[in-house]
Amino acid sequence: MKASSTKGGAANKSSSRSGRRGGGNKRQDTRPAAVDPTARLGAPPKAPFKGLRVVALGGIGEIGRNMTVFEHQGKLLIVDCGVLFPEDQQPGVDLILPDFRHIEDRMDDVEAVVLTHGHEDHIGAIPFLLRLRPDLPVVGSRFTLALVAAKCREHRQRPNLVEVVEGQRTEHGPFECEYFAVNHSIPDAIAVAIRTDAGVVLHTGDIKLDQLPLDGRLTDLAGFSRLGDEGVDLFLVDSTNAEVPGFVTPEREIGGVLDNVIGKARQRVIVASFASHVHRIQQVVDVAHRYNRRVAFVGRSMVRNMQIAQDLGYLSVPDGLVVDIDTAANLPDDRLVLISTGSQGEPLSALSRMARGEHRQINIRANDLVVLASSLIPGNENSVFAVVNGLAKRGATVVTQQSAKVHVSGHASAGELLYLYNAVRPTNAMPVHGEWRHLRANAALAKATGVPEERIVLAEDGVVVDMVDGLAEIVGQVPVGHVYVDGLSVGDVGDSTLSDRLVLGEGGFIAINVVIDDHTGRAVSTPEVSGRGFSDDPTALKDAAQLVEAELLRLATEGINDAHRIAQAIRRVVGRWVADKYRRRPMIVPTVIAVPSAEGK
Amino acid sequence: MKASSTKGGAANKSSSRSGRRGGGNKRQDTRPAAVDPTARLGAPPKAPFKGLRVVALGGIGEIGRNMTVFEHQGKLLIVDCGVLFPEDQQPGVDLILPDFRHIEDRMDDVEAVVLTHGHEDHIGAIPFLLRLRPDLPVVGSRFTLALVAAKCREHRQRPNLVEVVEGQRTEHGPFECEYFAVNHSIPDAIAVAIRTDAGVVLHTGDIKLDQLPLDGRLTDLAGFSRLGDEGVDLFLVDSTNAEVPGFVTPEREIGGVLDNVIGKARQRVIVASFASHVHRIQQVVDVAHRYNRRVAFVGRSMVRNMQIAQDLGYLSVPDGLVVDIDTAANLPDDRLVLISTGSQGEPLSALSRMARGEHRQINIRANDLVVLASSLIPGNENSVFAVVNGLAKRGATVVTQQSAKVHVSGHASAGELLYLYNAVRPTNAMPVHGEWRHLRANAALAKATGVPEERIVLAEDGVVVDMVDGLAEIVGQVPVGHVYVDGLSVGDVGDSTLSDRLVLGEGGFIAINVVIDDHTGRAVSTPEVSGRGFSDDPTALKDAAQLVEAELLRLATEGINDAHRIAQAIRRVVGRWVADKYRRRPMIVPTVIAVPSAEGK
């Protein structure tokens, strides 16, 4: 699997991902780790046999593709293996995987991969990891593994699943894992404590502290406190909402808002949310039932996940409440709630197609009520507002989290993170799951609760952290880049391809085709100059063609008959012409083909 | 000037712009206009000589490139002429202009263009309009015209400027204009009332109702009320913040927040804001002065605009307070405030370069304090957060509107809009300056204040609204598209070029070059297959080359020797191959060149 290089990678992406360098502190240094992120780190020393090594291959310095590798006594344990969704700077890419280079030659040393919950940014890369080792034990809670199983089926894989439940302990080589219930925006999420001879690590995964969770399954703060009494040497903490002051509103309060919004509605109601947010959907289902409306699930992942959730008892639906979309079409408007995918404006999702008037079964009408019971993930604004505008244009009333409290976050705000630090009282803290702005904010919270600044490790993907004698520090870094999935193949699209795509996407290309005689090197036809993505004006390239002809004559008179040099000359001439005349920078693609021509004879 | 077609245009852009169709109501219809936005409108009838015709060429159904054309007794009056900045779906485009087709053959009928204020989305297209008629009177307030003059100088134009002040009246053919002071996020903004024999129109431009404006220049609500007493037949109202409940916090309250943030700071302070937001900058200057810090302006537009603002007396700066950037470099950290451009994460702006560590003079250090005293314009999240992450990575503390009240909007919220409707009491209301979600929200406010639903005109760019006998209605539409400025040329980049760019940006291209004998049609060299933006794998196209060779043989045996048919066949073969093997859709570019070859003889 080929990974894009660190440096090239940085050049090609927003600095929210550009950093692949960690901090540079030595133990005697009392400043926080990574205080000088521009300091290049060297290759790490051999992993200390008695120590614990931590390397994140994804999820630090970025939000997504979470994957942390723990190493102890020559063995490896992986926590999470997710994907990242591409940004504008990664055109044509479907998914971004963690960079497996650090472990791919050592897959036999991997004892297991532990999954904290079933979101794509924590499980999405599992099928790709299993390609390296199909029998790798995949450890997780019931709902998480159900989603993993469904995903692996699509990849024709039969993973070796090990189901665990909070409170349980499992051994994986030198790693003893203990699992704690946590709440998040998906059921059955867990945190994992990892006990080794080198010390105790606690990894929160994604976490919040809803004190009135819909399923009554509290984040096990008491368990964290007991672990804190025992002593936690290293605490890896979700940073996503560290910048947000205060506390996340309990999920169940959304029920009241939905009751108000849907209860008052006389028209058809369409609710869009995340297909994995079972508790959110549960509340929509309950409200629909209360107001004598049937429910139809719309969108492939929504239908699939809600079936799984019902089968496993995470979603309870009264008999006969759910109807299929065709039946729904025949129900009166005020007897129906459609629950759809597409809350992030994904162009192919059900809701986007409705907004464009392209959905096969559902035709948005004036007075439809559409509720976006979801967050607006940064970067998705354009697509989400495009959907909202499309719906508004068709006369629908659109309710979003801006106009009503129909969404709460799944990640702990600053106030909750303080509870976590005070319960765990870690020796070393390591913010994870965040961009730099989130990591810094989380570090400030750790410090505020008394974690010494020099014991707060601000790392990044690829940065190697060793914990020896209970002290964690950055010792080097391993190369990590972005591994792109584009269509069927993984890794063959790298940074040079992406930078070409960016150039082509900005300015198109101008192709110049010249055929020369393989003996004389003289052109045996007039050069063909064509452009795509350059101009709608068919005459735009006329003068360029003349310039090329003139240049070919000049080269001929100078006796230059080498195809490569001719191509270079053409590129130079056309490049200068287009810069002067248009101030544009299309890709210039000269092709010079030498053939045995009539003239040559 | 060539404009991209309506339909193609829609296909190519987010539906926040996709609508180029207006409403379809007839007078007897009592539903609101545009209740069926999918109804295609026909060409408009001849403009009623005694009536008033209103056509927006930009700014309705989108935010930006505001331009409204009023027609009465065969003469035209234009209000504003701005640009729109491109989205992801318009790659490589620098600016988007209003579509002038509706007026370009009638420029001699245009009496004047009235500018409500100096923001780019209201004045940016003036140089392009003046190319059609250099002597066109450009009417506006003092500060607005100063910015227009500076812009025109860059285009080597000497516009015919007509300076006006609030309270003044000017005549332009059959249009009598009266100007009203309004406040906004730039000084000297005006609203314009247009009196004609067909009735009185009031156009707010961009507006808010700050009751404690920094310059004491209130939005002239009293004047609007007087006009309301006289009777306003058509009211065009800024919709930007119609979705936002309540009222905008007075600008001056930001002064206290800045005093608190900067006053407490012991380190270097960098404030980023809009280069035209003179009052925001004034407050930063005042705070800097209070705490004995010098000020340096950073970024070309910031330096230019602040000079203009000082020269005209809109910005007051104590002598010696402002230093140049080199002098600033030698000042102690706690004696300096840098005021910079780049609050929207523009990649080439001063702040972005600082965040990437690429600024020539300013090197971000741990503990620098950076204040983003600006909004986060939707669509800019990725770039702004990239800047924030870059600064955080370097150890700077970043204050944004999320963490402190360092920004307020320049557009009236719902509460203020109600004041406007109640003061003006219009017969007909027409929401402008907004996407569909904003227009709908604004229409709901108009209705709430008593404007009859059938008298609220929900139009869009190109939709033709005629006001006859005091009743405004949609009568048709004129073609409008997006006119793209790319580099030096205007309009030659249209939708086919953009869709090519999107295809190339997503998947790159595969070029196949074949040379055939012009007599036999047989290939006289092995085909050259190359790709850019397709794969980093040099061997990726090997099998494709073999496929092409096989296809060429097949064609030869079938006696197919026509270059065009050969090219088609190659495209088909390679297209199928890449879809099957990669599930990708690069552009396939076959070139078949016929030459007199040795074989031919």
Side-chain angles (χ1 to χ4, degrees):
Chain A
M1 189 176 295
K2 177 172 170 304
S4 64
S5 81
T6 295
K7 211 166 129 308
N12 254 10
K13 67 188 76 68
S14 80
S15 68
S16 68
R17 300 242 194 75
S18 70
R20 289 289 163 275
R21 313 190 193 90
N25 67 322
K26 294 274 148 289
R27 184 165 306 173
Q28 64 277 19
D29 183 345
T30 61
R31 291 167 310 155
V35 75
D36 176 11
T38 54
R40 201 100 186 64
L41 284 170
K46 191 169 171 309
F49 190 80
K50 289 194 167 320
L52 179 72
R53 170 161 290 184
V54 186
V55 182
L57 301 185
I60 315 190
E62 66 192 353
I63 288 191
R65 61 166 192 165
N66 297 288
M67 180 172 185
T68 312
V69 178
F70 296 89
E71 178 172 3
H72 178 58
Q73 295 179 359
K75 297 298 183 181
L76 305 175
L77 181 79
I78 299 171
V79 174
D80 289 328
C81 188
V83 293
L84 174 70
F85 295 98
E87 277 181 5
D88 314 350
Q89 294 307 298
Q90 291 131 341
V93 170
D94 302 318
L95 292 174
I96 303 171
L97 307 179
D99 185 343
F100 295 152
R101 278 178 293 175
H102 174 56
I103 55 167
E104 61 189 349
D105 302 334
R106 300 184 54 191
M107 288 306 294
D108 293 340
D109 297 334
V110 181
E111 298 288 350
V113 54
V114 175
L115 303 177
T116 58
H117 63 283
H119 280 151
E120 283 300 312
D121 58 333
H122 291 256
I123 70 168
I126 282 290
F128 301 93
L129 184 66
L130 293 182
R131 287 185 191 176
L132 302 180
R133 179 151 163 227
D135 69 333
L136 180 67
V138 180
V139 182
S141 62
R142 191 151 176 247
F143 188 64
T144 304
L145 294 187
L147 295 181
V148 169
K151 173 178 294 296
C152 287
R153 261 194 303 279
E154 293 169 359
H155 288 258
R156 297 194 185 65
Q157 295 177 327
R158 308 174 142 281
N160 168 13
L161 302 177
V162 181
E163 187 176 310
V164 296
V165 64
E166 49 264 31
Q168 186 179 344
R169 296 188 181 204
T170 57
E171 285 209 358
H172 308 279
F175 307 95
E176 190 208 56
C177 297
E178 181 179 359
Y179 307 98
F180 297 84
V182 302
N183 50 52
H184 183 43
S185 46
I186 186 170
D188 226 10
I190 53 176
V192 56
I194 305 168
R195 292 186 174 81
T196 69
D197 296 347
V200 177
V201 176
L202 177 59
H203 192 315
T204 63
D206 287 353
I207 188 171
K208 67 173 172 176
L209 277 70
D210 189 335
Q211 294 305 294
L212 297 167
L214 210 67
D215 59 359
R217 184 173 175 273
L218 283 160
T219 291
D220 188 4
L221 197 59
F224 291 161
S225 304
R226 275 196 304 280
L227 202 68
D229 297 340
E230 177 185 335
V232 172
D233 300 284
L234 178 62
F235 188 30
L236 287 75
V237 191
D238 179 4
S239 308
T240 311
N241 273 350
E243 286 183 313
V244 181
F247 297 79
V248 178
T249 307
E251 172 69 26
R252 67 174 59 208
E253 290 193 15
I254 289 175
V257 179
L258 290 173
D259 184 288
N260 184 18
V261 171
I262 298 176
K264 281 203 305 237
R266 293 287 153 269
Q267 67 269 54
R268 183 168 63 171
V269 176
I270 302 168
V271 180
S273 190
F274 299 104
S276 62
H277 204 323
V278 177
H279 295 162
R280 186 69 44 83
I281 309 299
Q282 180 72 65
Q283 302 200 85
V284 178
V285 166
D286 295 346
V287 171
H289 185 50
R290 192 171 310 137
Y291 292 99
N292 191 17
R293 287 175 181 255
R294 296 296 191 76
V295 165
F297 295 117
V298 185
R300 199 177 129 282
S301 56
M302 183 66 76
V303 171
R304 185 196 80 172
N305 290 0
M306 290 309 117
Q307 191 56 56
I308 293 172
Q310 286 183 71
D311 296 344
L312 301 183
Y314 292 97
L315 179 72
S316 82
V317 180
D319 290 347
L321 185 78
V322 173
V323 298
D324 65 32
I325 189 165
D326 299 315
T327 316
N330 304 322
L331 290 171
D333 284 358
D334 62 350
R335 288 284 156 265
L336 176 66
V337 174
L338 296 164
I339 301 178
S340 171
T341 54
S343 62
Q344 294 306 309
E346 306 89 332
L348 300 179
S349 67
L351 192 66
S352 291
R353 283 184 276 125
M354 296 180 211
R356 294 194 302 265
E358 295 170 1
H359 195 283
R360 212 156 30 74
Q361 292 124 314
I362 303 161
N363 184 9
I364 294 294
R365 297 186 295 262
N367 303 327
D368 277 342
L369 176 66
V370 181
V371 181
L372 296 186
S374 52
S375 63
L376 207 181
I377 296 172
N380 296 350
E381 290 77 6
N382 287 347
S383 18
V384 171
F385 288 135
V387 168
V388 174
N389 283 317
L391 297 167
K393 185 179 162 81
R394 287 171 166 71
T397 305
V398 184
V399 175
T400 69
Q401 65 177 134
Q402 280 81 37
S403 49
K405 190 96 185 145
V406 290
H407 174 73
V408 298
S409 171
H411 299 271
S413 295
E416 293 156 76
L417 291 172
L418 293 174
Y419 274 84
L420 286 176
Y421 282 114
N422 288 328
V424 175
R425 294 148 284 162
T427 311
N428 305 274
M430 181 169 167
V432 296
H433 301 353
E435 302 171 359
W436 268 94
R437 58 197 177 107
H438 308 112
L439 302 175
R440 290 260 183 218
N442 199 354
L445 296 170
K447 190 180 170 197
T449 61
V451 182
E453 196 163 20
E454 65 275 18
R455 300 267 58 84
I456 301 168
V457 182
L458 278 172
E460 253 187 334
D461 296 345
V463 168
V464 178
V465 177
D466 282 351
M467 186 168 72
V468 180
D469 306 331
L471 297 182
E473 66 176 8
I474 291 169
V475 298
Q477 76 176 137
V478 297
V480 286
H482 287 88
V483 177
Y484 302 111
V485 179
D486 181 359
L488 292 181
S489 78
V490 177
D492 82 303
V493 168
D495 293 307
S496 76
T497 293
L498 288 188
S499 57
D500 280 350
R501 285 180 184 177
L502 290 169
V503 170
L504 289 165
E506 286 284 299
F509 69 86
I510 297 177
I512 307 98
N513 292 286
V514 173
V515 183
I516 61 172
D517 176 84
D518 57 2
H519 283 65
T520 67
R522 287 174 182 281
V524 296
S525 73
T526 55
E528 281 211 11
V529 181
S530 62
R532 297 297 297 272
F534 175 66
S535 173
D536 283 15
D537 173 4
T539 71
L541 297 173
K542 270 226 177 72
D543 353 344
Q546 287 157 8
L547 278 174
V548 172
E549 282 203 75
E551 179 67 7
L552 289 171
L553 281 175
R554 193 187 66 76
L555 293 166
T557 54
E558 288 191 12
I560 293 168
N561 55 11
D562 161 54
H564 178 66
R565 287 184 60 193
I566 294 173
Q568 277 184 315
I570 292 173
R571 176 180 286 110
R572 198 167 47 243
V573 167
V574 176
R576 201 180 302 122
W577 168 79
V578 74
D580 294 346
K581 179 169 179 189
Y582 288 92
R583 290 253 191 298
R584 298 184 196 164
R585 298 176 50 231
M587 187 180 284
I588 311 292
V589 188
T591 311
V592 178
I593 305 178
V595 301
S597 80
E599 174 191 83
K601 294 285 155 297
Chain B
M1 186 176 297
K2 177 172 170 306
S4 62
S5 80
T6 295
K7 208 166 132 307
N12 251 12
K13 64 188 78 68
S14 79
S15 66
S16 68
R17 299 241 198 77
S18 69
R20 287 290 164 278
R21 310 191 192 90
N25 67 322
K26 293 278 148 285
R27 184 168 302 176
Q28 64 276 20
D29 183 344
T30 60
R31 291 166 312 155
V35 75
D36 177 12
T38 54
R40 201 94 186 67
L41 284 171
K46 191 169 172 308
F49 190 79
K50 289 195 165 322
L52 179 72
R53 170 162 290 186
V54 186
V55 181
L57 300 184
I60 315 190
E62 66 193 353
I63 288 191
R65 62 168 192 164
N66 297 287
M67 181 172 185
T68 312
V69 180
F70 297 89
E71 179 171 2
H72 179 58
Q73 295 178 2
K75 298 298 184 181
L76 305 176
L77 181 78
I78 299 171
V79 174
D80 290 329
C81 188
V83 293
L84 174 70
F85 295 98
E87 278 183 3
D88 313 351
Q89 294 306 300
Q90 291 131 340
V93 171
D94 302 318
L95 293 173
I96 302 171
L97 307 179
D99 185 343
F100 295 153
R101 276 178 295 175
H102 174 57
I103 55 167
E104 62 188 347
D105 301 335
R106 301 184 54 190
M107 288 307 293
D108 293 340
D109 297 333
V110 181
E111 299 287 352
V113 54
V114 175
L115 303 177
T116 58
H117 63 283
H119 280 150
E120 283 300 312
D121 57 334
H122 291 256
I123 69 168
I126 282 289
F128 301 93
L129 184 66
L130 294 182
R131 287 185 191 177
L132 302 180
R133 178 151 162 227
D135 68 335
L136 180 67
V138 179
V139 182
S141 63
R142 192 152 175 247
F143 187 64
T144 304
L145 294 187
L147 295 180
V148 170
K151 172 178 294 296
C152 287
R153 261 194 302 280
E154 293 169 359
H155 287 258
R156 297 194 184 64
Q157 295 176 328
R158 306 172 142 283
N160 170 12
L161 302 177
V162 180
E163 186 176 310
V164 295
V165 64
E166 49 264 31
Q168 187 179 341
R169 296 186 182 206
T170 57
E171 286 209 357
H172 308 280
F175 306 95
E176 190 206 59
C177 297
E178 180 179 1
Y179 308 97
F180 297 84
V182 302
N183 51 51
H184 182 43
S185 47
I186 186 170
D188 227 9
I190 54 176
V192 57
I194 305 168
R195 291 185 175 81
T196 68
D197 296 348
V200 177
V201 176
L202 177 60
H203 191 314
T204 64
D206 287 354
I207 189 171
K208 68 172 171 175
L209 276 69
D210 189 334
Q211 294 305 296
L212 298 167
L214 210 66
D215 58 1
R217 185 172 174 273
L218 283 160
T219 291
D220 188 4
L221 198 58
F224 290 161
S225 304
R226 275 195 304 279
L227 201 68
D229 297 340
E230 176 184 337
V232 172
D233 300 284
L234 179 61
F235 189 30
L236 286 75
V237 191
D238 179 4
S239 309
T240 310
N241 273 348
E243 285 183 313
V244 181
F247 296 79
V248 178
T249 307
E251 171 71 26
R252 67 174 58 209
E253 289 192 18
I254 289 174
V257 178
L258 291 172
D259 184 288
N260 183 18
V261 171
I262 298 176
K264 281 202 306 235
R266 292 289 153 267
Q267 67 269 52
R268 183 168 62 171
V269 175
I270 301 168
V271 179
S273 190
F274 300 102
S276 61
H277 203 323
V278 176
H279 295 161
R280 185 70 45 83
I281 308 298
Q282 180 71 65
Q283 302 201 84
V284 178
V285 166
D286 295 345
V287 171
H289 185 51
R290 193 171 310 138
Y291 291 100
N292 192 17
R293 289 173 180 258
R294 297 295 190 77
V295 165
F297 295 118
V298 185
R300 196 177 133 282
S301 57
M302 183 65 76
V303 172
R304 187 196 78 171
N305 290 1
M306 291 309 117
Q307 191 56 57
I308 293 173
Q310 285 183 73
D311 296 345
L312 300 183
Y314 293 96
L315 180 72
S316 81
V317 180
D319 291 346
L321 185 78
V322 173
V323 297
D324 64 32
I325 190 164
D326 299 315
T327 316
N330 303 322
L331 290 171
D333 285 357
D334 61 350
R335 287 283 156 266
L336 177 65
V337 173
L338 295 165
I339 301 178
S340 171
T341 54
S343 61
Q344 295 306 310
E346 305 89 330
L348 301 179
S349 67
L351 193 65
S352 291
R353 283 183 278 124
M354 296 179 208
R356 292 193 303 267
E358 294 169 2
H359 195 282
R360 214 155 28 75
Q361 293 124 314
I362 304 160
N363 184 9
I364 294 295
R365 297 185 297 260
N367 303 325
D368 278 342
L369 175 67
V370 181
V371 181
L372 296 186
S374 52
S375 64
L376 207 180
I377 295 172
N380 296 349
E381 289 78 6
N382 287 347
S383 18
V384 170
F385 288 135
V387 167
V388 173
N389 283 317
L391 297 167
K393 185 179 161 78
R394 287 171 167 71
T397 305
V398 184
V399 175
T400 70
Q401 65 178 133
Q402 280 81 38
S403 49
K405 190 96 185 147
V406 290
H407 174 74
V408 297
S409 172
H411 298 272
S413 295
E416 293 155 78
L417 291 173
L418 293 174
Y419 273 85
L420 286 176
Y421 282 113
N422 288 328
V424 175
R425 294 148 285 162
T427 312
N428 305 274
M430 180 168 166
V432 295
H433 302 352
E435 301 170 0
W436 267 95
R437 58 198 177 105
H438 309 112
L439 302 176
R440 290 261 182 217
N442 199 354
L445 296 171
K447 189 181 170 197
T449 61
V451 181
E453 195 163 21
E454 65 275 17
R455 300 267 58 84
I456 301 169
V457 182
L458 279 171
E460 252 187 336
D461 295 347
V463 169
V464 178
V465 177
D466 281 351
M467 186 167 73
V468 179
D469 305 332
L471 296 183
E473 64 175 11
I474 292 170
V475 298
Q477 77 177 136
V478 297
V480 286
H482 287 86
V483 176
Y484 302 110
V485 179
D486 182 359
L488 291 182
S489 76
V490 177
D492 80 304
V493 168
D495 293 307
S496 75
T497 293
L498 289 188
S499 56
D500 280 350
R501 286 181 184 177
L502 290 169
V503 170
L504 290 165
E506 286 285 301
F509 69 87
I510 296 177
I512 308 98
N513 291 288
V514 174
V515 183
I516 60 173
D517 176 84
D518 57 3
H519 282 66
T520 65
R522 291 175 180 280
V524 297
S525 74
T526 55
E528 280 211 12
V529 181
S530 62
R532 295 299 295 271
F534 174 68
S535 173
D536 283 16
D537 173 3
T539 70
L541 296 173
K542 271 223 174 74
D543 351 346
Q546 289 157 7
L547 279 174
V548 173
E549 282 204 76
E551 179 66 7
L552 288 172
L553 281 174
R554 193 187 65 75
L555 293 166
T557 54
E558 291 191 11
I560 294 168
N561 55 10
D562 162 55
H564 178 65
R565 287 184 60 193
I566 293 173
Q568 277 183 315
I570 292 173
R571 175 181 286 111
R572 197 166 47 244
V573 167
V574 176
R576 201 180 303 122
W577 168 80
V578 73
D580 294 347
K581 178 169 181 189
Y582 286 92
R583 289 252 193 298
R584 296 184 198 166
R585 298 178 47 231
M587 186 179 286
I588 311 292
V589 188
T591 311
V592 178
I593 305 178
V595 301
S597 79
E599 174 191 84
K601 295 286 156 293

